[in-house]
Amino acid sequence: MRVVIQENYDKMCKWAANHIAARIHAHNDSGNTRPFVLGLPTGSSPIGVYRELVRMNQAGELSFANVVTFNMDEYLGLPREHDQSYWYFMHDNLFNHLVDMKPENINILNGMTDDPEKECRDYEEKIAAMGGIDLFMGGIGVDGHIAFNEPFTSLSSRTGVRNLTTDTRIVNSRFFGNDPEKVPSQALSVGVGTVFDSREVMILINGHNKARALAATVEGGVSQKWTCSALQQHNAAIIACDEAACGELTVDTYRYFLDIEKGERL
Ligand code: GLP
């Protein structure tokens, strides 16, 4: 596992956006006829990355014409038009601002589906039909959840319906008028196994409130209690983080990654 520590949130986002751009360019340059398949998260962590990707795209430095996206999750029961749906978030923060993103290349689970099981099965099949995900970017919950895979979700789980914990509904209530009851109690989410089948996984971890999750991801044992810890068994996993999130790492671990990744420091 790589852990790339940047000084602050802005630099973390810039590094992550540069990494995505480099992967898309390398894919296109390789003559691969398949589109580049990119997995994407919602939440506050990726907002700066999306801002930078939009800047590159509008400046003509990065094309999305050959990119297919799959989002991690969606609240069950929220229509697209709801300003807290993940469909709305993704269009508001990324897709609406890209000059050459093809709408038919955007995949987001439908939270209003009549048949959630089929919706999730179809999503897995579509990912497989696209040749799998090249790079899955993710965020992380304070309890270490990846997508909506709360603690004790199987580390081999696939896309499905998830019940949200009270903790997560409280944390996410900041977007719902600070009322946890207004946060949907269920979501559709890719599984831990879906994320870890990707050729590469990059997780963004920033801020003091994620320090325990970062330590559990990097230094703890692999455990379904911290679904993020499954990352240790992926052969191309990167954590992009800021200094603030490093507060619970041992000094040795912190120094090790600063040393080995010193060329990546922006
Ligand atoms: C939600 C999302 C996750 C995201 C997490 C953290 O629970 N389902 O995919 O990683 O929030 O969000 P934030 O980046 O706002 O801390």
Side-chain angles (χ1 to χ4, degrees):
M1 176 192 289
R2 295 179 62 191
V3 179
V4 177
I5 304 167
Q6 297 294 342
E7 189 186 342
N8 54 40
Y9 175 74
D10 285 347
K11 289 186 178 176
M12 176 195 83
C13 291
K14 196 159 194 308
W15 188 90
N18 286 345
H19 184 74
I20 293 171
R23 288 291 190 255
I24 293 173
H25 286 143
H27 177 89
N28 293 340
D29 292 348
S30 73
N32 204 324
T33 50
R34 200 175 64 74
F36 185 85
V37 185
L38 180 62
L40 294 173
T42 52
S44 41
S45 309
I47 287 178
V49 181
Y50 292 152
R51 204 178 297 130
E52 182 61 14
L53 290 175
V54 167
R55 188 203 63 71
M56 289 176 183
N57 178 253
Q58 293 186 353
E61 297 166 15
L62 175 67
S63 168
F64 277 79
N66 193 36
V67 176
V68 169
T69 63
F70 283 89
N71 260 81
M72 285 191 141
D73 43 18
E74 179 59 285
Y75 286 115
L76 202 53
L78 280 197
R80 287 175 166 196
E81 305 72 38
H82 191 289
D83 65 1
Q84 290 309 323
S85 81
Y86 286 168
W87 190 96
Y88 188 98
F89 174 98
M90 288 307 300
H91 285 77
D92 198 32
N93 285 286
L94 182 66
F95 299 134
N96 288 349
H97 310 286
L98 298 174
V99 298
D100 57 359
M101 183 76 209
K102 297 177 185 141
E104 64 272 25
N105 284 353
I106 299 170
N107 296 284
I108 302 177
L109 286 153
N110 175 11
M112 295 302 284
T113 177
D114 292 336
D115 189 344
E117 302 299 330
K118 181 174 184 315
E119 174 73 14
C120 295
R121 235 181 6 255
D122 290 350
Y123 207 64
E124 288 276 343
E125 281 169 13
K126 192 155 187 202
I127 292 172
M130 293 309 306
I133 292 176
D134 291 295
L135 170 60
F136 218 134
M137 173 165 75
I140 197 169
V142 288
D143 57 5
H145 70 245
I146 298 279
F148 266 130
N149 296 293
E150 301 280 29
F152 305 107
T153 304
S154 161
L155 300 185
S156 57
S157 53
R158 311 304 306 189
T159 305
V161 179
R162 300 289 187 271
N163 296 325
L164 306 190
T165 62
T166 301
D167 281 0
T168 292
R169 293 177 77 201
I170 290 171
V171 172
N172 288 1
S173 68
R174 67 192 192 280
F175 302 116
F176 290 84
N178 291 317
D179 181 357
E181 286 300 316
K182 291 202 177 119
V183 181
S185 58
Q186 289 188 309
L188 303 179
S189 173
V190 295
V192 182
T194 318
V195 175
F196 293 98
D197 275 356
S198 312
R199 291 181 191 87
E200 187 177 27
V201 182
M202 174 173 68
I203 303 294
L204 309 170
I205 308 186
N206 63 282
H208 292 97
N209 62 338
K210 302 285 175 69
R212 281 181 69 227
L214 176 59
T217 309
V218 179
E219 295 179 329
V222 175
S223 158
Q224 59 184 355
K225 185 164 183 197
W226 292 90
T227 52
C228 53
S229 66
L231 213 60
Q232 293 176 21
Q233 295 189 320
H234 194 286
N235 66 0
I238 306 179
I239 289 173
C241 63
D242 66 358
E243 292 276 352
C246 293
E248 296 284 335
L249 292 179
T250 62
V251 175
D252 261 5
T253 304
Y254 172 74
R255 284 191 183 143
Y256 170 82
F257 285 112
L258 269 189
D259 179 43
I260 206 154
E261 299 284 358
K262 54 180 174 286
E264 301 297 328
R265 193 86 168 169
L266 295 181

